[in-house]
Amino acid sequence: MRIYDIISKKRDGFELTDEEISFFIKNYVNGEIADYQAAALLMAIYLKGMSDKETVTLTLEMAKSGDMLDLSGIDGVKVDKHSTGGVGDKTTLIVAPVVAAIGCKVAKMSGRGLGHTGGTVDKLEAIKGFNTALSPENFIDTVNRTGICVVGQTGNLAPADKKLYALRDATATVGSIPLIASSIMSKKLAAGSDCIVLDVKYGSGAFMKTPEDALLLAEKMVTIGKGAGKRVRAVITDMDTPLGKNIGNTLEVIEAAEILRSGTDSDLTQVCIALATNITVLAFGIDYIEAESRVRAALTNGEAYKKFLEMVKAQGGDASLIENTDNFAKAKHRKEVLSPADGYIAATDAEKIGSASVVLGAGRVTKDDGIDYTAGIILHKKTGDIVKKGDVIAELFTNDEAKLASAEEMFISGFVFSEKETERKPLIYRVVE
Ligand code: URA
């Protein structure tokens, strides 16, 4: 078999066999296939697409290219969730303890933030002492003891994806649905859970800008998951505007703790309930109404909050910070952002607001940058709200005063004001089963 023939076959629009896809992944990972040949094949896939059969095979080969986590040492149904990335997206901090309180086993690997989007591992590390780098034995033991453990991704999970993603980034081939779907699902399959719920975001702050594209991606990922024998669903949710009111690591932990403690209703609560309910349906095979009532009960009867405290303690974190969030370290500088106009807020661009939060120090520009855990934004107004000139629409926080002016400029460029009332897009567009 020659890579040259595989490239020309895909270039001419033909379906690749399982053997050809396996040959490509194995030989690319071991260095036998050069980057320029892999790049040519990626571009051919980008232009000609892939059938569902090809995409499932590609994903399984990528998943098998490194460690496949063995979760068989954990009793019960193992569940996982994945978000395609967003701003203010602290859903894992809420959904994981909720479903663990209901009896699911959450053995979850999460990522760090990059670009304008945040990552769960950074948020958890904002809690003093919280350890996201447990050994595999400790990870499994913690899930068996408490029902929940969230750690960072191990170095050798789906190495084919690591190599291919870097190449796609440099060759304008990121935005291909089979390539995005196989990239995400290869890591989910390698992480070993029985049930997976995907939160596929659409809007200005998301990979997929329209709900229609998000739906295509969601359908592809659900097909792959089912093809690999998993129970899987996707929930398509709005990321035109940030989720919830707080953006930035400590601020997001505080907002999640408030919701777990009080069950307060908000856009964030609604997305969390939808994700947790879909996980519960998959895990226990019960109907949606029964699952939703279990989820709402766990949120309001204190069980999910208790589970969150248990998780923080089990992973070495200082749970007194969660019990009294005023004790979290605070940023040295705070600035109020005032509305420059009267009217309705027609849009709050999630990408610009996420980028403003990165400027304040809450995120990284390159993957080796440090993070200011206290930095971020509290939104006081969101899309659809009415404001008067001079009203406080947000507060910015940072330890570096010099960053405030440029962050404010970036932040305000994300706000669109209108004389007419505007409605938010649907928070939950569709569930793909
Ligand atoms: N996230 C991933 O892990 N891979 C992609 O291709 C896009 C988003």
Side-chain angles (χ1 to χ4, degrees):
M1 203 173 285
R2 294 189 317 160
I3 184 65
Y4 182 96
D5 300 323
I6 297 174
I7 297 168
S8 60
K9 187 171 175 187
K10 183 44 76 182
R11 179 200 63 199
D12 296 339
F14 294 103
E15 188 177 57
L16 301 179
T17 64
D18 291 353
E19 293 70 30
E20 286 163 339
I21 293 171
S22 169
F23 174 88
F24 165 59
I25 293 298
K26 287 201 176 82
N27 288 290
Y28 183 53
V29 171
N30 71 19
E32 294 289 321
I33 292 175
D35 276 344
Y36 58 84
Q37 289 174 309
L41 182 58
L42 290 175
M43 185 56 83
I45 293 171
Y46 183 96
L47 295 173
K48 300 290 177 177
M50 274 190 144
S51 66
D52 285 348
K53 181 171 175 293
E54 283 176 298
T55 314
V56 170
T57 306
L58 177 65
T59 309
L60 291 174
E61 288 299 327
M62 285 164 70
K64 284 190 300 189
S65 66
D67 298 339
M68 298 284 281
L69 232 66
D70 178 8
L71 301 184
S72 59
I74 299 172
D75 297 328
V77 190
K78 277 79 75 179
V79 303
D80 196 356
K81 78 166 267 290
H82 177 83
S83 158
T84 54
V87 179
D89 180 3
K90 67 283 285 173
T91 52
T92 294
L93 303 186
I94 299 168
V95 172
V98 166
V99 297
I102 292 172
C104 299
K105 296 297 158 77
V106 183
K108 178 154 176 50
M109 288 198 169
S110 285
R112 293 186 184 279
L114 190 64
H116 67 277
T117 65
T120 301
V121 167
D122 293 329
K123 294 173 215 226
L124 288 171
E125 287 178 356
I127 305 167
K128 197 166 144 244
F130 197 102
N131 184 2
T132 60
L134 305 187
S135 68
E137 296 73 28
N138 201 349
F139 176 56
I140 287 176
D141 179 53
T142 306
V143 182
N144 272 329
R145 277 187 294 113
T146 65
I148 183 168
C149 190
V150 182
V151 295
Q153 208 166 286
T154 66
N156 199 34
L157 200 84
D161 176 60
K162 203 171 279 171
K163 256 187 114 170
L164 285 172
Y165 192 87
L167 197 59
R168 285 164 60 209
D169 214 13
T171 57
T173 50
V174 169
S176 145
I177 286 181
L179 293 179
I180 296 176
S182 56
S183 164
I184 292 175
M185 290 305 288
S186 62
K187 288 171 284 202
K188 292 288 108 184
L189 298 184
S193 282
D194 309 310
C195 305
I196 304 162
V197 167
L198 303 157
D199 180 4
V200 182
K201 306 278 188 198
Y202 76 91
S204 65
F207 242 98
M208 298 287 131
K209 300 298 174 198
T210 66
E212 294 78 19
D213 280 348
L215 180 60
L216 289 177
L217 177 62
E219 285 171 346
K220 201 61 142 182
M221 291 198 287
V222 169
T223 302
I224 295 170
K226 289 194 166 163
K230 302 288 180 184
R231 286 176 254 169
V232 55
R233 280 186 175 195
V235 185
I236 300 174
T237 66
D238 174 35
M239 189 38 70
D240 240 7
T241 186
L243 192 56
K245 58 185 176 63
N246 290 10
I247 301 145
N249 299 292
T250 298
L251 292 171
E252 293 193 38
V253 172
I254 292 173
E255 186 178 8
E258 275 167 15
I259 288 184
L260 286 166
R261 205 172 16 240
S262 64
T264 328
D265 191 28
S266 70
D267 57 351
L268 170 63
T269 317
Q270 287 171 33
V271 170
C272 289
I273 288 173
L275 295 171
T277 301
N278 279 291
I279 293 173
T280 308
V281 167
L282 290 183
F284 301 118
I286 56 177
D287 69 34
Y288 198 89
I289 294 175
E290 162 70 13
E292 186 174 329
S293 91
R294 287 197 203 176
V295 164
R296 286 186 185 272
L299 255 183
T300 49
N301 66 13
E303 289 301 318
Y305 176 61
K306 271 203 280 187
K307 193 52 83 178
F308 188 52
L309 289 176
E310 199 183 347
M311 166 178 137
V312 170
K313 284 182 200 150
Q315 293 191 237
D318 180 352
S320 71
L321 293 171
I322 305 299
E323 286 165 315
N324 184 357
T325 51
D326 283 343
N327 290 339
F328 269 107
K330 296 198 176 43
K332 287 199 204 104
H333 306 282
R334 181 183 81 98
K335 185 168 194 323
E336 292 182 344
V337 184
L338 306 182
S339 174
D342 287 345
Y344 290 94
I345 298 175
T348 43
D349 185 306
E351 181 165 6
K352 292 201 173 115
I353 295 171
S355 300
S357 152
V358 173
V359 172
L360 290 166
R364 304 178 180 79
V365 177
T366 72
K367 70 178 177 26
D368 299 321
D369 286 349
I371 270 197
D372 175 356
Y373 289 110
T374 66
I377 298 170
I378 297 181
L379 293 170
H380 291 285
K381 301 286 175 192
K382 290 179 65 165
T383 304
D385 288 343
I386 187 160
V387 286
K388 290 215 167 315
K389 187 170 176 187
D391 280 355
V392 178
I393 54 176
E395 292 168 274
L396 310 182
F397 298 89
T398 182
N399 278 319
D400 183 350
E401 199 172 10
K403 291 174 171 170
L404 282 171
S406 54
E408 182 174 9
E409 193 181 327
M410 170 68 78
F411 176 83
I412 205 75
S413 73
F415 270 67
V416 179
F417 296 89
S418 158
E419 286 174 6
K420 281 196 258 133
E421 194 168 354
T422 29
E423 275 183 23
R424 265 190 73 163
K425 300 216 175 97
L427 199 52
I428 294 162
Y429 173 72
R430 200 74 73 80
V431 177
V432 179
E433 296 180 15

